[in-house]
Amino acid sequence: MARLKLRRDLLRGDPQEAKRLGEAFETAIVGVEAFSQKQDAQALAYGSNSEIAPPAAHRAAMLRLDHSSHSNVPFSDVGVDRSAQDSAATRQAPRQHQRPSSAWPAIRLGIGVTVLVLILCGATLRYFGIWTGVGSLTVRKVTAPASASKAAPSAAATNASAPPSALTTAPATTAPPQPDFPLPTVYGTYAINNGQLSELEMLPGQVPDIRIAMSSVISTPSHTIVPDGLPTFIVFRRDLANLGQDRVEARVVARIARTLKFGADNKPSTTREDNIWVIRNVAYQFRLAPVAGHPEMIVLRPESPDPLPPGRYVLSLKRQPYDFTVAGTITDAQHCLERTEAANGIFYSPCKTP
């Protein structure tokens, strides 16, 4: 059992040290086994001698007792040979002197076992002392990061106790800059007028393709007036990600000033018009720009530095017309039309005098 235990423990240590300790252990076991065999032989010899009593000595003792109790005759007269008595006494005296006590074999066996235990303990302590050293190195390697992590709070505490001037503060995340114009809170399209928002009204119908010269007639007047020809618009919509445009057109909405008609006798008659408009295929480009921190908003500004002529326009957002008017006296011929209604169709021409 001791051999198996020691071999199993030694497998985890240094091979050379394990070999040396194993040889020492085997030598100790051989010595203890030889010692135990010797003690067993002596015990057997002692037992056999004590069980067989010498016949001469036994007879001499019996005769001595019988003579002392029944007769006053000297012991030499009993008929026992003196030489036999002396030889029996001589053999019995050394045996009585050499006979050990009954506890002596147990004591010697205990001494042997104690010596073996001390040898095993020494070998085990030496072996596990080496193994504990290896384990301590492993523990130190594993716990090194833990000590470093413990040092981190202390460093943080030191920095906390240091004056604010000695600390290097990390750059704080700055909020996006606020625009220099008001932001809407309701979805829609707005014009910025003198720091105020004016919502653009969406006209019925759609903006015609650029290849179509005129749209159908619009009879609704404009309600949003911008003060100059460089307006800025802000669009607040949920579907801006699907807008799919990097530019937005502002189409000219021309006023029909007069209408020429022919009667039944083919005589022409001219009628002055007041509230009739059409969307033309004349366009001005506006560029889109995002609003920082507001992904659902975009800003529209004119691409050209030249101001828009006074007149009426519509912003075309996904072909939806948003109406506005640039304040001022209309002088551009693009904003005035004359209409002719003939038997074969309706025709438009620029105004002679806007």
Side-chain angles (χ1 to χ4, degrees):
M1 182 66 71
R3 286 191 182 97
L4 293 177
K5 177 64 177 175
L6 184 60
R7 288 176 182 175
R8 184 171 60 253
D9 293 337
L10 290 177
L11 288 176
R12 297 175 294 177
D14 186 9
Q16 296 180 357
E17 185 69 16
K19 182 179 179 181
R20 188 178 65 80
L21 293 177
E23 293 176 354
F25 179 70
E26 291 294 337
T27 303
I29 290 178
V30 170
V32 172
E33 289 178 348
F35 179 78
S36 178
Q37 291 176 0
K38 183 177 180 181
Q39 295 301 320
D40 293 341
Q42 291 179 358
L44 291 173
Y46 169 75
S48 60
N49 291 334
S50 60
E51 292 175 358
I52 303 173
H58 180 70
R59 287 194 300 269
M62 294 298 293
L63 290 173
R64 188 182 299 113
L65 291 174
D66 182 69
H67 173 72
S68 59
S69 58
H70 296 89
S71 173
N72 293 326
V73 180
F75 183 73
S76 58
D77 297 336
V78 176
V80 178
D81 188 7
R82 174 65 63 178
S83 61
Q85 180 181 2
D86 292 340
S87 62
T90 303
R91 286 194 303 270
Q92 186 176 5
R95 185 181 294 114
Q96 292 176 355
H97 177 71
Q98 295 177 359
R99 180 178 297 175
S101 63
S102 61
W104 178 245
I107 292 174
R108 286 188 294 182
L109 181 59
I111 292 173
V113 173
T114 302
V115 172
L116 177 60
V117 170
L118 291 176
I119 294 174
L120 292 177
C121 289
T124 305
L125 289 176
R126 183 176 180 83
Y127 171 72
F128 280 103
I130 297 172
W131 180 252
T132 305
V134 176
S136 63
L137 292 176
T138 306
V139 171
R140 282 195 295 272
K141 291 180 181 179
V142 172
T143 56
S147 62
S149 63
K150 291 181 180 178
S154 62
T158 305
N159 292 335
S161 61
S165 60
L167 298 177
T168 57
T169 58
T173 56
T174 58
Q178 293 297 323
D180 56 354
F181 50 83
L183 298 177
T185 58
V186 180
Y187 290 113
T189 302
Y190 301 85
I192 302 175
N193 290 331
N194 299 321
Q196 301 294 325
L197 295 177
S198 299
E199 186 174 4
L200 274 62
E201 181 182 0
M202 187 175 68
L203 299 177
Q206 289 187 340
V207 177
D209 189 87
I210 194 68
R211 294 169 294 184
I212 300 175
M214 305 292 173
S215 70
S216 57
V217 174
I218 299 172
S219 59
T220 304
S222 180
H223 297 95
T224 303
I225 310 299
V226 297
D228 55 54
L230 296 174
T232 300
F233 303 98
I234 181 168
V235 180
F236 184 23
R237 294 174 58 138
R238 290 188 295 265
D239 59 347
L240 285 182
N242 300 324
L243 187 60
Q245 299 176 236
D246 58 355
R247 287 176 174 81
V248 172
E249 293 179 347
R251 294 283 193 92
V252 173
V253 179
R255 181 179 68 88
I256 299 176
R258 288 171 292 272
T259 299
L260 178 61
K261 297 181 180 180
F262 294 90
D265 54 357
N266 289 329
K267 290 182 179 181
S269 63
T270 302
T271 305
R272 185 178 179 84
E273 304 290 349
D274 292 329
N275 294 317
I276 297 177
W277 291 268
V278 290
I279 300 174
R280 300 190 63 179
N281 58 353
V282 180
Y284 294 88
Q285 299 295 325
F286 279 72
R287 297 296 302 269
L288 281 65
V291 178
H294 301 277
E296 294 183 335
M297 296 183 185
I298 56 174
V299 176
L300 307 179
R301 293 185 175 92
E303 184 176 28
S304 174
D306 299 330
L308 299 178
R312 189 176 183 180
Y313 301 86
V314 290
L315 284 174
S316 178
L317 293 173
K318 301 181 69 173
R319 299 188 65 183
Q320 294 176 346
Y322 290 89
D323 175 67
F324 69 96
T325 298
V326 177
T329 302
I330 297 175
T331 59
D332 187 7
Q334 302 287 347
H335 287 270
C336 184
L337 292 174
E338 292 181 354
R339 184 174 62 175
T340 300
E341 294 182 357
N344 56 350
I346 298 175
F347 303 94
Y348 294 91
S349 61
C351 293
K352 296 177 182 178
T353 55

